[in-house]
Structures are given as C-alpha cells and as structure tokens.
Coordinates of all heavy atoms in Angstrom, one line a residue:
M148 N 0.8 -1.2 0.0 CA 0.0 0.0 0.0 C 0.9 1.2 0.0 O 1.8 1.3 0.8 CB -0.9 0.0 1.2 CG -1.7 1.2 1.4 SD -2.5 1.2 3.0 CE -3.7 2.4 2.7
S149 N 0.6 2.2 -0.9 CA 1.3 3.4 -0.9 C 0.5 4.6 -0.5 O -0.7 4.7 -1.0 CB 1.9 3.6 -2.3 OG 2.7 4.7 -2.4
I150 N 1.0 5.4 0.4 CA 0.2 6.5 0.9 C 0.7 7.7 0.1 O 1.8 8.1 0.1 CB 0.4 6.7 2.4 CG1 0.0 5.5 3.1 CG2 -0.3 7.9 2.9 CD1 0.4 5.4 4.6
N151 N -0.3 8.4 -0.6 CA 0.1 9.5 -1.5 C 0.3 10.8 -0.8 O 1.1 11.6 -1.2 CB -1.0 9.6 -2.6 CG -1.0 8.3 -3.5 OD1 0.1 7.8 -3.8 ND2 -2.2 7.9 -3.8
T152 N -0.6 11.1 0.2 CA -0.5 12.4 0.8 C -0.3 12.3 2.3 O -0.7 11.3 2.9 CB -1.7 13.3 0.5 OG1 -2.8 12.7 1.2 CG2 -2.0 13.4 -1.0
F153 N 0.1 13.4 2.9 CA 0.3 13.5 4.3 C -1.1 13.3 5.0 O -1.3 12.6 6.0 CB 0.9 14.8 4.7 CG 1.1 15.1 6.2 CD1 2.0 14.3 6.9 CD2 0.3 16.0 6.8 CE1 2.2 14.6 8.2 CE2 0.5 16.3 8.2 CZ 1.5 15.5 8.9
E154 N -2.1 13.9 4.4 CA -3.5 13.9 4.9 C -4.0 12.4 4.9 O -4.7 12.0 5.8 CB -4.4 14.8 4.1 CG -4.1 16.3 4.3 CD -2.9 16.8 3.6 OE1 -2.4 16.1 2.6 OE2 -2.4 17.8 4.0
D155 N -3.7 11.7 3.8 CA -4.1 10.3 3.8 C -3.4 9.5 4.9 O -4.1 8.6 5.5 CB -3.6 9.6 2.4 CG -4.4 10.1 1.2 OD1 -5.5 10.7 1.4 OD2 -4.0 9.9 0.1
A156 N -2.2 9.8 5.2 CA -1.5 9.1 6.2 C -2.1 9.4 7.6 O -2.3 8.5 8.4 CB 0.0 9.5 6.2
V157 N -2.4 10.6 7.8 CA -3.1 11.0 9.1 C -4.4 10.3 9.2 O -4.7 9.7 10.3 CB -3.3 12.6 9.2 CG1 -4.1 12.9 10.4 CG2 -1.9 13.3 9.2
A158 N -5.2 10.3 8.2 CA -6.5 9.6 8.2 C -6.3 8.1 8.5 O -7.1 7.5 9.2 CB -7.2 9.8 6.9
L159 N -5.3 7.5 7.9 CA -5.1 6.1 8.0 C -4.8 5.7 9.5 O -5.2 4.6 10.0 CB -4.0 5.6 7.1 CG -3.7 4.1 7.1 CD1 -4.9 3.3 6.7 CD2 -2.6 3.8 6.1
T160 N -4.1 6.5 10.2 CA -3.8 6.2 11.6 C -5.0 6.1 12.4 O -5.0 5.4 13.4 CB -2.8 7.3 12.2 OG1 -3.5 8.5 12.3 CG2 -1.5 7.4 11.5
K161 N -6.1 6.8 12.0 CA -7.3 6.7 12.8 C -8.1 5.4 12.5 O -9.0 5.1 13.2 CB -8.2 7.9 12.4 CG -7.6 9.2 12.9 CD -8.4 10.4 12.4 CE -7.9 11.8 12.8 NZ -6.5 12.0 13.0
K162 N -7.6 4.6 11.5 CA -8.3 3.4 11.2 C -7.5 2.2 11.7 O -8.0 1.0 11.4 CB -8.4 3.3 9.6 CG -9.3 4.3 9.0 CD -9.4 4.2 7.5 CE -10.2 5.3 6.9 NZ -10.2 5.3 5.5
F163 N -6.4 2.4 12.4 CA -5.7 1.2 13.0 C -6.6 0.5 13.9 O -7.4 1.1 14.7 CB -4.5 1.7 13.7 CG -3.3 2.2 12.9 CD1 -2.2 2.8 13.4 CD2 -3.4 2.1 11.5 CE1 -1.2 3.3 12.7 CE2 -2.3 2.5 10.7 CZ -1.2 3.1 11.3
T164 N -6.6 -0.8 13.8 CA -7.5 -1.6 14.7 C -6.8 -1.9 16.1 O -7.5 -2.3 17.0 CB -7.9 -3.0 14.0 OG1 -6.7 -3.6 13.6 CG2 -8.8 -2.7 12.8
T165 N -5.5 -1.8 16.1 CA -4.8 -2.0 17.3 C -3.9 -0.8 17.5 O -3.4 -0.2 16.6 CB -3.9 -3.3 17.2 OG1 -4.7 -4.4 16.8 CG2 -3.2 -3.6 18.5
K166 N -3.7 -0.4 18.8 CA -2.9 0.8 19.1 C -1.4 0.5 19.0 O -0.9 -0.5 19.5 CB -3.2 1.2 20.5 CG -2.6 2.5 21.0 CD -3.0 2.8 22.4 CE -2.3 4.1 22.8 NZ -2.7 4.4 24.2
P167 N -0.7 1.3 18.2 CA 0.8 1.1 18.1 C 1.4 1.3 19.5 O 0.8 1.8 20.5 CB 1.2 2.3 17.2 CG 0.0 2.6 16.4 CD -1.2 2.4 17.4
S168 N 2.7 0.8 19.6 CA 3.4 0.9 20.9 C 3.6 2.4 21.2 O 3.5 3.3 20.3 CB 4.8 0.2 20.7 OG 5.6 1.0 19.9
N169 N 4.0 2.7 22.5 CA 4.2 4.1 22.9 C 5.4 4.6 22.1 O 5.3 5.8 21.7 CB 4.5 4.1 24.4 CG 3.3 4.0 25.2 OD1 2.2 4.2 24.7 ND2 3.5 3.6 26.5
E170 N 6.4 3.9 21.8 CA 7.5 4.3 21.0 C 7.1 4.7 19.6 O 7.5 5.8 19.1 CB 8.6 3.2 21.0 CG 9.9 3.7 20.3 CD 10.9 2.5 20.3 OE1 11.1 1.9 21.3 OE2 11.5 2.3 19.2
E171 N 6.3 3.9 19.0 CA 5.8 4.2 17.7 C 4.9 5.5 17.7 O 5.0 6.3 16.8 CB 5.0 3.0 17.1 CG 5.9 1.8 16.8 CD 5.2 0.5 16.6 OE1 4.0 0.4 17.2 OE2 5.7 -0.3 15.9
L172 N 4.0 5.6 18.7 CA 3.1 6.7 18.8 C 3.9 8.0 19.0 O 3.6 9.0 18.4 CB 2.2 6.5 20.0 CG 1.1 5.5 19.8 CD1 0.3 5.3 21.1 CD2 0.1 5.9 18.7
L173 N 5.0 7.9 19.8 CA 5.8 9.1 20.0 C 6.5 9.6 18.7 O 6.6 10.7 18.4 CB 6.9 8.9 21.1 CG 6.3 8.9 22.5 CD1 7.4 8.4 23.5 CD2 5.9 10.3 22.9
K174 N 7.0 8.6 17.9 CA 7.6 8.9 16.7 C 6.6 9.5 15.7 O 6.9 10.5 15.0 CB 8.3 7.7 16.1 CG 9.2 8.0 14.9 CD 9.9 6.7 14.5 CE 10.9 7.1 13.3 NZ 11.6 5.9 12.8
L175 N 5.4 9.0 15.7 CA 4.3 9.6 14.8 C 4.1 11.0 15.3 O 4.0 11.9 14.4 CB 3.0 8.8 15.0 CG 2.9 7.5 14.2 CD1 1.7 6.7 14.6 CD2 2.9 7.8 12.7
Y176 N 4.0 11.2 16.6 CA 3.7 12.6 17.1 C 4.8 13.5 16.7 O 4.5 14.6 16.2 CB 3.6 12.5 18.7 CG 3.4 13.9 19.3 CD1 2.2 14.5 19.3 CD2 4.5 14.6 19.8 CE1 2.0 15.7 19.9 CE2 4.4 15.8 20.3 CZ 3.1 16.4 20.4 OH 3.0 17.7 20.9
G177 N 6.1 13.1 16.9 CA 7.2 14.0 16.6 C 7.2 14.4 15.2 O 7.4 15.6 14.8
L178 N 7.0 13.4 14.3 CA 7.0 13.7 12.9 C 5.9 14.6 12.5 O 6.0 15.5 11.6 CB 7.0 12.4 12.1 CG 8.4 11.7 12.0 CD1 8.2 10.3 11.5 CD2 9.4 12.5 11.2
Y179 N 4.7 14.3 13.1 CA 3.5 15.1 12.7 C 3.7 16.6 13.1 O 3.4 17.5 12.4 CB 2.3 14.5 13.5 CG 1.0 15.3 13.3 CD1 0.2 15.1 12.1 CD2 0.7 16.3 14.1 CE1 -0.9 15.8 11.9 CE2 -0.5 17.1 13.9 CZ -1.3 16.8 12.8 OH -2.4 17.6 12.6
K180 N 4.2 16.8 14.3 CA 4.4 18.2 14.8 C 5.5 18.9 14.0 O 5.3 20.0 13.7 CB 4.8 18.2 16.3 CG 3.7 17.7 17.2 CD 2.5 18.7 17.2 CE 2.8 19.9 18.0 NZ 1.7 20.9 18.1
Q181 N 6.5 18.2 13.6 CA 7.6 18.8 12.8 C 7.0 19.1 11.4 O 7.3 20.2 10.9 CB 8.8 17.8 12.6 CG 10.0 18.4 11.9 CD 10.6 19.6 12.7 OE1 10.5 19.6 13.9 NE2 11.3 20.5 12.0
A182 N 6.2 18.3 10.8 CA 5.6 18.5 9.5 C 4.5 19.6 9.6 O 4.4 20.4 8.6 CB 4.9 17.2 9.0
T183 N 3.8 19.8 10.7 CA 2.8 20.8 10.7 C 3.2 22.1 11.4 O 2.7 23.2 11.0 CB 1.5 20.2 11.5 OG1 1.9 19.8 12.8 CG2 0.9 19.1 10.7
D184 N 4.1 22.0 12.3 CA 4.5 23.2 13.1 C 6.0 23.6 12.9 O 6.4 24.7 13.4 CB 4.2 23.1 14.6 CG 2.7 22.9 14.9 OD1 1.9 23.2 14.0 OD2 2.4 22.5 16.0
G185 N 6.8 22.8 12.3 CA 8.2 23.1 12.2 C 8.9 22.8 13.5 O 8.5 22.0 14.3
D186 N 10.1 23.4 13.6 CA 11.0 23.1 14.8 C 10.3 23.5 16.1 O 9.5 24.4 16.2 CB 12.3 24.0 14.7 CG 13.2 23.4 13.6 OD1 13.0 22.3 13.2 OD2 14.1 24.2 13.3
N187 N 10.5 22.6 17.1 CA 10.0 22.8 18.4 C 10.6 24.0 19.1 O 11.8 23.9 19.5 CB 10.2 21.5 19.2 CG 9.5 21.6 20.6 OD1 9.0 22.6 21.0 ND2 9.4 20.4 21.2
E188 N 9.9 25.1 19.3 CA 10.4 26.3 19.9 C 9.7 26.5 21.3 O 9.7 27.5 21.9 CB 10.3 27.5 19.0 CG 11.0 27.4 17.7 CD 12.5 27.3 17.8 OE1 13.1 27.7 18.8 OE2 13.1 26.9 16.8
T189 N 8.9 25.5 21.7 CA 8.1 25.6 22.9 C 8.9 25.4 24.1 O 10.0 24.9 24.0 CB 6.9 24.6 22.9 OG1 7.4 23.3 22.9 CG2 6.0 24.8 21.7
E190 N 8.4 25.8 25.2 CA 9.1 25.6 26.5 C 9.0 24.2 27.0 O 7.9 23.5 26.8 CB 8.4 26.5 27.6 CG 9.3 26.8 28.8 CD 8.7 27.9 29.7 OE1 8.4 29.0 29.1 OE2 8.5 27.6 30.9
R191 N 10.1 23.7 27.5 CA 10.1 22.3 28.0 C 9.1 22.1 29.1 O 9.0 23.0 30.0 CB 11.5 22.0 28.5 CG 11.7 20.5 29.0 CD 13.1 20.2 29.4 NE 14.0 20.2 28.2 CZ 14.2 19.2 27.3 NH1 13.4 18.2 27.5 NH2 15.0 19.3 26.4
P192 N 8.3 21.0 29.1 CA 7.3 20.8 30.2 C 7.9 20.6 31.5 O 9.1 20.2 31.6 CB 6.5 19.6 29.7 CG 7.1 19.2 28.5 CD 8.2 20.0 28.1
G193 N 7.1 20.7 32.6 CA 7.6 20.5 33.9 C 8.1 19.1 34.2 O 7.8 18.2 33.5
G194 N 8.9 18.9 35.2 CA 9.6 17.7 35.5 C 8.8 16.5 35.7 O 9.2 15.4 35.4
F195 N 7.6 16.6 36.2 CA 6.8 15.4 36.6 C 5.7 15.1 35.6 O 4.9 14.2 35.7 CB 6.2 15.5 38.0 CG 7.2 15.5 39.0 CD1 7.6 16.6 39.7 CD2 7.9 14.3 39.3 CE1 8.6 16.6 40.7 CE2 8.9 14.2 40.3 CZ 9.2 15.3 41.0
D196 N 5.6 15.9 34.5 CA 4.7 15.6 33.4 C 5.4 14.7 32.4 O 5.9 15.2 31.4 CB 4.1 16.9 32.8 CG 2.9 16.6 31.9 OD1 2.7 15.5 31.5 OD2 2.3 17.6 31.5
F197 N 5.5 13.4 32.7 CA 6.4 12.6 31.9 C 5.8 12.4 30.5 O 6.6 12.3 29.5 CB 6.5 11.2 32.6 CG 7.2 11.3 33.9 CD1 6.5 11.0 35.1 CD2 8.5 11.7 34.0 CE1 7.1 11.1 36.3 CE2 9.1 11.8 35.3 CZ 8.4 11.5 36.4
K198 N 4.5 12.3 30.3 CA 3.9 12.2 29.0 C 4.2 13.4 28.1 O 4.7 13.3 27.0 CB 2.4 12.0 29.1 CG 1.7 11.7 27.8 CD 0.3 11.4 28.0 CE -0.4 11.2 26.7 NZ -1.9 10.9 26.9
A199 N 4.0 14.6 28.7 CA 4.3 15.8 27.9 C 5.8 15.9 27.6 O 6.2 16.3 26.5 CB 3.9 17.0 28.7
A200 N 6.7 15.5 28.5 CA 8.1 15.6 28.3 C 8.5 14.6 27.2 O 9.4 14.9 26.3 CB 8.9 15.2 29.6
A201 N 7.9 13.4 27.2 CA 8.2 12.4 26.1 C 7.8 13.0 24.7 O 8.6 12.8 23.8 CB 7.5 11.1 26.4
K202 N 6.6 13.6 24.7 CA 6.2 14.2 23.4 C 7.1 15.3 23.0 O 7.4 15.4 21.8 CB 4.7 14.6 23.6 CG 3.8 13.5 23.7 CD 2.4 13.9 24.1 CE 1.5 14.3 23.0 NZ 0.1 14.5 23.3
Y203 N 7.5 16.2 23.9 CA 8.3 17.3 23.7 C 9.7 16.8 23.1 O 10.1 17.3 22.1 CB 8.6 18.1 25.0 CG 9.6 19.2 24.8 CD1 9.1 20.5 24.5 CD2 10.9 19.0 25.0 CE1 10.0 21.5 24.4 CE2 11.8 20.0 24.9 CZ 11.4 21.3 24.6 OH 12.3 22.4 24.5
N204 N 10.2 15.8 23.7 CA 11.5 15.2 23.3 C 11.4 14.6 21.9 O 12.3 14.7 21.1 CB 12.1 14.2 24.3 CG 12.5 14.9 25.6 OD1 12.9 16.1 25.5 ND2 12.5 14.2 26.7
S205 N 10.3 13.9 21.7 CA 10.1 13.2 20.4 C 10.1 14.3 19.3 O 10.7 14.1 18.2 CB 8.8 12.4 20.4 OG 8.6 11.9 19.1
W206 N 9.4 15.4 19.5 CA 9.3 16.4 18.5 C 10.7 17.1 18.3 O 11.1 17.3 17.2 CB 8.3 17.5 18.9 CG 8.0 18.6 18.0 CD1 8.5 18.8 16.7 CD2 7.2 19.8 18.3 NE1 8.0 20.0 16.2 CE2 7.2 20.6 17.2 CE3 6.5 20.2 19.4 CZ2 6.6 21.8 17.1 CZ3 5.8 21.4 19.4 CH2 5.9 22.2 18.3
L207 N 11.4 17.3 19.4 CA 12.7 17.9 19.4 C 13.7 17.0 18.5 O 14.6 17.5 17.9 CB 13.2 18.0 20.8 CG 14.3 19.1 21.0 CD1 13.8 20.5 20.6 CD2 14.7 19.1 22.5
N208 N 13.5 15.7 18.5 CA 14.4 14.8 17.8 C 14.4 15.1 16.3 O 15.3 14.7 15.6 CB 13.9 13.3 18.0 CG 14.3 12.8 19.3 OD1 15.3 13.2 19.9 ND2 13.6 11.8 19.8
F209 N 13.3 15.7 15.8 CA 13.2 16.0 14.4 C 13.6 17.4 14.0 O 13.3 17.9 12.9 CB 11.8 15.6 13.9 CG 11.6 14.1 14.1 CD1 10.7 13.7 15.1 CD2 12.2 13.2 13.3 CE1 10.5 12.3 15.3 CE2 12.0 11.8 13.5 CZ 11.1 11.4 14.5
K210 N 14.1 18.2 14.9 CA 14.5 19.6 14.7 C 15.4 19.7 13.5 O 16.3 18.9 13.3 CB 15.2 20.2 15.9 CG 15.4 21.6 15.8 CD 16.0 22.2 17.1 CE 16.0 23.7 17.0 NZ 15.9 24.4 18.3
G211 N 15.1 20.7 12.6 CA 15.9 20.9 11.4 C 15.4 20.2 10.2 O 15.8 20.5 9.1
L212 N 14.5 19.2 10.4 CA 13.9 18.5 9.3 C 12.9 19.4 8.6 O 12.1 20.1 9.2 CB 13.2 17.3 9.8 CG 13.1 16.0 9.0 CD1 14.5 15.5 8.6 CD2 12.3 14.9 9.7
S213 N 13.0 19.5 7.2 CA 12.0 20.3 6.5 C 10.6 19.7 6.6 O 10.4 18.5 6.9 CB 12.4 20.4 5.0 OG 12.2 19.2 4.4
K214 N 9.6 20.6 6.4 CA 8.2 20.2 6.4 C 8.0 19.0 5.4 O 7.4 18.0 5.8 CB 7.3 21.3 6.0 CG 5.9 21.0 5.8 CD 5.1 22.3 5.4 CE 3.7 22.2 5.1 NZ 2.9 21.1 5.5
E215 N 8.6 19.1 4.2 CA 8.4 18.0 3.2 C 9.1 16.7 3.7 O 8.5 15.7 3.5 CB 9.0 18.5 1.9 CG 8.3 19.7 1.2 CD 8.6 21.0 1.9 OE1 9.6 21.2 2.6 OE2 7.8 21.9 1.7
E216 N 10.3 16.8 4.2 CA 11.0 15.6 4.7 C 10.2 15.0 5.9 O 10.1 13.7 5.9 CB 12.4 16.0 5.1 CG 13.3 14.8 5.5 CD 13.6 13.8 4.3 OE1 13.3 14.1 3.1 OE2 14.2 12.8 4.6
A217 N 9.7 15.8 6.8 CA 9.0 15.2 7.9 C 7.7 14.6 7.4 O 7.3 13.5 7.9 CB 8.6 16.4 8.9
E218 N 7.0 15.2 6.4 CA 5.8 14.6 5.9 C 6.1 13.2 5.2 O 5.4 12.2 5.4 CB 5.1 15.5 4.9 CG 4.4 16.6 5.5 CD 3.7 17.5 4.5 OE1 3.6 17.1 3.2 OE2 3.1 18.5 4.9
R219 N 7.3 13.2 4.5 CA 7.7 11.9 3.8 C 8.0 10.8 4.8 O 7.5 9.7 4.7 CB 8.9 12.2 2.9 CG 9.3 10.9 2.1 CD 10.6 11.2 1.3 NE 11.7 11.4 2.2 CZ 12.4 10.4 2.9 NH1 12.0 9.2 2.8 NH2 13.4 10.7 3.6
K220 N 8.7 11.2 5.9 CA 9.0 10.2 6.9 C 7.8 9.7 7.6 O 7.7 8.6 8.0 CB 10.1 10.8 7.9 CG 11.5 10.9 7.3 CD 12.4 11.4 8.3 CE 13.8 11.5 7.9 NZ 14.4 10.2 7.9
Y221 N 6.8 10.6 7.9 CA 5.6 10.3 8.5 C 4.8 9.3 7.7 O 4.3 8.3 8.2 CB 4.8 11.6 8.8 CG 3.5 11.4 9.5 CD1 3.4 11.4 10.9 CD2 2.3 11.1 8.8 CE1 2.2 11.2 11.6 CE2 1.1 10.9 9.5 CZ 1.1 11.0 10.9 OH -0.1 10.8 11.6
R222 N 4.7 9.6 6.4 CA 4.0 8.7 5.4 C 4.6 7.3 5.4 O 3.9 6.3 5.5 CB 3.9 9.3 4.0 CG 3.0 10.5 3.9 CD 2.7 10.8 2.4 NE 3.9 10.7 1.5 CZ 4.7 11.7 1.2 NH1 4.5 12.9 1.7 NH2 5.7 11.5 0.4
E223 N 6.0 7.3 5.4 CA 6.7 6.0 5.4 C 6.4 5.2 6.7 O 6.2 4.0 6.7 CB 8.2 6.2 5.2 CG 8.6 6.7 3.8 CD 10.0 7.0 3.7 OE1 10.7 7.0 4.7 OE2 10.4 7.4 2.6
L224 N 6.4 5.9 7.8 CA 6.2 5.3 9.1 C 4.7 4.7 9.2 O 4.5 3.6 9.6 CB 6.4 6.2 10.3 CG 6.2 5.7 11.7 CD1 7.0 4.4 11.9 CD2 6.5 6.7 12.7
V225 N 3.8 5.5 8.7 CA 2.4 5.1 8.7 C 2.2 3.9 7.8 O 1.5 2.9 8.2 CB 1.4 6.2 8.3 CG1 0.0 5.7 8.1 CG2 1.4 7.3 9.4
D226 N 2.8 3.9 6.7 CA 2.8 2.8 5.7 C 3.3 1.5 6.4 O 2.7 0.4 6.3 CB 3.6 3.1 4.5 CG 3.3 2.2 3.3 OD1 2.2 1.7 3.2 OD2 4.2 1.9 2.5
E227 N 4.4 1.6 7.1 CA 5.0 0.5 7.8 C 4.1 0.0 9.0 O 3.8 -1.2 9.1 CB 6.3 1.0 8.4 CG 7.1 -0.1 9.2 CD 8.4 0.6 9.8 OE1 9.1 1.3 9.0 OE2 8.6 0.3 11.0
L228 N 3.5 1.0 9.8 CA 2.7 0.6 10.9 C 1.3 0.0 10.4 O 0.8 -0.8 11.1 CB 2.4 1.8 11.8 CG 3.6 2.4 12.5 CD1 3.2 3.7 13.3 CD2 4.3 1.4 13.4
A229 N 0.8 0.5 9.3 CA -0.4 0.0 8.7 C -0.4 -1.5 8.5 O -1.4 -2.2 8.6 CB -0.8 0.7 7.5
K230 N 0.8 -2.0 8.1 CA 1.0 -3.5 7.9 C 0.8 -4.3 9.2 O 0.4 -5.4 9.2 CB 2.3 -3.8 7.3 CG 2.5 -3.2 5.9 CD 3.9 -3.3 5.4 CE 4.1 -2.6 4.1 NZ 5.4 -2.0 3.9
K231 N 1.1 -3.6 10.3 CA 1.0 -4.3 11.6 C -0.3 -4.1 12.3 O -0.8 -4.9 13.1 CB 2.1 -3.8 12.6 CG 3.5 -4.3 12.2 CD 4.6 -3.6 12.9 CE 4.5 -3.3 14.4 NZ 5.8 -2.8 14.9
Y232 N -0.9 -2.9 12.2 CA -2.1 -2.5 13.0 C -3.4 -2.3 12.3 O -4.4 -1.9 12.9 CB -1.7 -1.2 13.7 CG -0.5 -1.4 14.6 CD1 0.7 -0.7 14.4 CD2 -0.6 -2.2 15.7 CE1 1.8 -0.9 15.2 CE2 0.5 -2.4 16.6 CZ 1.7 -1.7 16.3 OH 2.8 -1.9 17.1
R233 N -3.4 -2.6 11.0 CA -4.7 -2.5 10.3 C -5.3 -3.8 9.9 O -4.8 -4.7 9.7 CB -4.4 -1.6 9.0 CG -5.7 -1.1 8.5 CD -5.5 0.2 7.7 NE -6.7 0.4 7.1 CZ -7.0 0.3 5.8 NH1 -6.1 0.0 5.0 NH2 -8.2 0.5 5.4

C-alpha cells in the first residue's frame, strides 16, 4: 500500500484496529508536529509531566527537518505501521 499524501497518512492512523506501541506513537507525534508546526520552539514541560516531556523530546528529535521531509518520513512510518495495525 502506498500513501500518496500526508493527509491520507493522518487519516489512516485513525483506522488502525490495534494501538501502536508508545515508542511508535511518540515517533508519529514528533514527525506530525515537525511537519505541521516546524521546529519545536516551545518551553520544556515541567519535570513530573512525563507524557508531555516524552512528546516534547520526540518532536525535538526532528528539529531541522524540513516540512516536506517530515511529511515523507511520517507517510513511510504510517505505511509500515499499517501493515501491523490495520
């Protein structure tokens, strides 16, 4: 299956019948935020909000990636995950 657009990839994630692992979800989140918002310039979350910190760090991992490259990597990841979770 080939995903043609970023929007198709986002829609496909909503059709997964099983939830991806936390690591996979974080990677999806980071790539999505990089593709839609660009580099993470937000303030680091507080120390005990572990979920927010993990999401923040995941997005930060893709700093410097262009919108187009982040979209491409997101589509590739969704394509890979769809084989496991759809």
Side-chain angles (χ1 to χ4, degrees):
M148 172 186 199
S149 182
I150 300 167
N151 296 320
T152 68
F153 180 69
E154 291 75 21
D155 288 345
V157 172
L159 184 56
T160 64
K161 294 171 178 35
K162 295 179 182 173
F163 289 171
T164 55
T165 308
K166 186 177 176 183
S168 71
N169 285 341
E170 184 179 316
E171 291 164 334
L172 288 172
L173 283 170
K174 190 170 182 182
L175 281 171
Y176 175 83
L178 284 167
Y179 178 86
K180 291 297 281 181
Q181 188 66 26
T183 56
D184 295 344
D186 288 344
N187 185 351
E188 303 293 341
T189 63
E190 197 170 307
R191 185 175 291 280
F195 291 105
D196 191 346
F197 299 114
K198 184 176 178 181
K202 290 169 88 172
Y203 176 91
N204 289 333
S205 178
W206 183 10
L207 204 58
N208 285 335
F209 298 105
K210 187 172 186 151
L212 212 58
S213 71
K214 175 181 174 21
E215 293 76 20
E216 185 68 6
E218 285 185 6
R219 184 184 64 75
K220 287 180 176 283
Y221 183 90
R222 288 194 320 267
E223 288 173 357
L224 179 59
V225 170
D226 196 31
E227 181 184 312
L228 295 177
K230 293 171 185 148
K231 288 170 42 176
Y232 299 113
R233 195 156 173 249

